[in-house]
Amino acid sequence: MSAFSSIPKIGYEGPESDNPFAFRWYNPDEIVEGKSMRDHLRFSVVYWHTFRGNGSDPFGMPTLDRPWDDGSNSIDNALNRVRVAFEFMEKLGCPYYAFHDRDVSPEGASLAESHANLDRVADALEQQQQRTGIKLLWGTANMFTHPRYLHGAATSCNADVFAYCAAQVKKAMEITKRLGGENYVFWGGREGYMNLYNTDIKREIDHLGQFLNMAVDYSKEIGFEGTFLIEPKPKEPTKHQYDSDAAACINFLRAYGLMDRFKLNIETNHATLAGHSMMHELDYAGAQGCLGSIDANTGDLLLGWDTDQFPTDLYLTAQSMMIILKYGGLGSGGVNFDAKVRRESIDVEDLFHAHIGGMDAFARGLKIAAAIRADGGLQQFVDDRYSSWNTGVGADIEAGKHDFNSLSDYMMEKGEVDANKSGRQEYLENYINRFI
Ligand code: XUL
Ligand code: CO
């Protein structure tokens, strides 16, 4: 029985099309900067929102019409969901997906039962991957929903919780490896605090460092070579999460000797919760060699929480793709739609509109970014802006040939700096608008 029989296979029809079930910009085989759109964007559907989201919120009950889901925690329901999920991704033409262990399979009465449930569902995932060619972008472990994580996961004050997490990540990593997952994500939803009076920050962060080093050791033991990704987020559900933004994560990775094994999975709505733009977070991570993957979504400027909306803003996608292209692409990462349809968007059709819109917005962002790069005017402006560093005293400073004494002598003789030039922000904003 098909869950989406009324929906056609989504194909590329071009910008003139008025078919809401077609791509107007995402043309998987189209070559941009020498690579297909499919390979640039590596789109991924998330299991947790798209197949487990039901429209409930802190104030209201489920609203979404998902006729295939009986709402139970049974294995049969989980297996049926796998079938539907792959039918959806096939129709959409999305090459990747991502999941948490507990999205795909139910928590059991014991850890052993949870593991066994995951094994059974992984069999079905593997079969569907083989049937469709759809691949796993990343796996992860949900260490935030169950009450045992109320004080944290690897940073819990309860040592048993740390041990439980080790067992859970061990299993999730094994399953990710088995399914050919290209990355493994750590999002520390409960790795933070609600109150500092009861919190030993030093001990908690040390434990997190120890935990991730154990994960690295185990990946070597089993030969899992996917990229490890930390996903920064500053708050929600806790008041403060230790992986608060790209800079905090990179400092943590350096402090605990994890830089060579980890990159970052940057999420738009998390960037904005941290008081940054997505462009800032991507550029900061890229500059430090840590740009791994993105969770593509957006927030609402008028709401201060993680609304996880599908991205449709062309400035956002163009800026994101400018930075991604600047650092040579996402490597083993992808554009993962960690986004959910609104509670009011109750039909299965809305799942298609949401993903088609996000994919088109990123495809168009890619083309805009490539056009800006091909024109070269922006890069030329930035190069010129820093040209004082290419010769003379600037080049000598960068080459390490100066100290405070020599610079003081230089400036004492010169007396005043060369004149500053305009930053031309308004000119550049107008320039970018020519490509949108
Ligand atoms: C939560 C969030 C997570 C991670 C995976 O805000 O983004 O879904 O992406 O655990
Ligand atoms: Co996310």
Side-chain angles (χ1 to χ4, degrees), residues 358-396:
M359 290 162 83
D360 262 351
F362 263 91
R364 207 164 161 190
L366 169 63
K367 294 191 78 159
I368 293 167
I372 292 169
R373 284 158 58 83
D375 181 80
L378 186 65
Q379 190 58 49
Q380 188 63 54
F381 184 89
V382 176
D383 290 346
D384 288 348
R385 187 161 184 248
Y386 290 87
S387 60
S388 72
W389 292 90
N390 297 341
T391 56
V393 70
D396 287 344

Side-chain angles (χ1 to χ4, degrees), residues 46 48-49 100 138 185 187 231-233 265-267 270 294-297 306 308 336-339:
V46 304
W48 53 100
H49 287 314
H100 300 83
W138 48 264
V185 164
W187 170 59
E231 184 174 317
K233 185 176 183 182
N265 182 36
I266 305 289
E267 177 164 328
H270 297 179
I294 69 170
D295 269 10
N297 63 16
D306 198 14
D308 281 346
N336 180 53
F337 289 112
D338 190 359

Side-chain angles (χ1 to χ4, degrees), residues 44-322:
S44 164
V45 167
V46 304
Y47 215 93
W48 53 100
H49 287 314
T50 299
F51 306 111
R52 302 309 310 273
N54 59 18
S56 61
D57 72 11
F59 300 93
M61 287 159 52
T63 56
L64 307 184
D65 182 27
R66 300 290 181 257
W68 59 84
D69 199 310
D70 67 16
S72 78
N73 254 343
S74 72
I75 289 283
D76 281 349
N77 196 26
L79 293 174
N80 189 44
R81 243 187 246 122
V82 171
R83 182 184 63 77
V84 172
F86 277 80
E87 190 193 335
F88 174 80
M89 294 187 284
E90 233 186 334
K91 271 218 157 143
L92 185 63
C94 189
Y96 286 95
Y97 74 112
F99 66 78
H100 300 83
D101 48 3
R102 302 295 177 255
D103 313 328
V104 289
S105 73
E107 175 110 19
S110 65
L111 182 60
E113 198 179 308
S114 296
H115 283 358
N117 290 348
L118 186 52
D119 284 331
R120 279 192 64 189
V121 176
D123 290 342
L125 291 168
E126 192 169 31
Q127 269 172 21
Q128 290 287 347
Q129 286 186 208
Q130 278 162 5
R131 184 184 68 75
T132 60
I134 293 168
K135 295 191 269 189
L136 178 60
L137 185 67
W138 48 264
T140 188
N142 177 331
M143 302 193 296
F144 43 88
T145 299
H146 194 278
R148 78 174 68 84
Y149 302 120
L150 71 98
H151 292 303
T155 62
S156 176
C157 50
N158 178 348
D160 264 0
V161 176
F162 183 104
Y164 196 102
C165 291
Q168 196 179 336
V169 169
K170 174 178 181 294
K171 182 70 182 174
M173 203 193 301
E174 288 163 4
I175 295 291
T176 301
K177 176 179 188 285
R178 177 181 157 196
L179 296 175
E182 298 183 30
N183 309 270
Y184 184 92
V185 164
F186 293 89
W187 170 59
R190 302 266 170 208
E191 313 294 26
Y193 59 79
M194 294 303 282
N195 187 298
L196 277 173
Y197 291 146
N198 65 10
T199 302
D200 186 336
I201 283 196
K202 163 98 172 70
R203 224 165 168 180
E204 292 202 359
I205 298 178
D206 281 352
H207 292 163
L208 189 56
Q210 222 182 337
F211 188 84
L212 295 183
N213 272 289
M214 287 184 194
V216 171
D217 291 345
Y218 190 64
S219 74
K220 289 182 188 151
E221 199 178 316
I222 64 170
F224 173 66
E225 287 173 359
T227 309
F228 279 154
L229 298 167
I230 291 192
E231 184 174 317
K233 185 176 183 182
K235 57 188 165 192
E236 201 198 313
T238 65
K239 172 195 173 98
H240 173 85
Q241 277 152 221
Y242 297 131
D243 302 332
S244 52
D245 65 1
C249 287
I250 292 167
N251 175 62
F252 168 85
L253 292 173
R254 283 218 173 85
Y256 292 91
L258 294 161
M259 278 296 274
D260 58 346
R261 191 66 177 80
F262 277 80
K263 289 187 170 164
L264 301 183
N265 182 36
I266 305 289
E267 177 164 328
T268 320
N269 209 164
H270 297 179
T272 50
L273 287 176
H276 303 307
S277 64
M278 181 64 164
M279 194 174 181
H280 164 95
E281 285 291 85
L282 290 171
D283 214 353
Y284 195 94
Q288 303 283 325
C290 290
L291 178 50
S293 197
I294 69 170
D295 269 10
N297 63 16
T298 193
D300 184 312
L301 286 180
L302 303 182
L303 299 175
W305 64 91
D306 198 14
T307 56
D308 281 346
Q309 289 164 236
F310 277 83
T312 53
D313 179 339
L314 298 181
Y315 286 95
L316 169 67
T317 59
Q319 288 168 1
S320 299
M321 292 315 302
M322 279 165 71

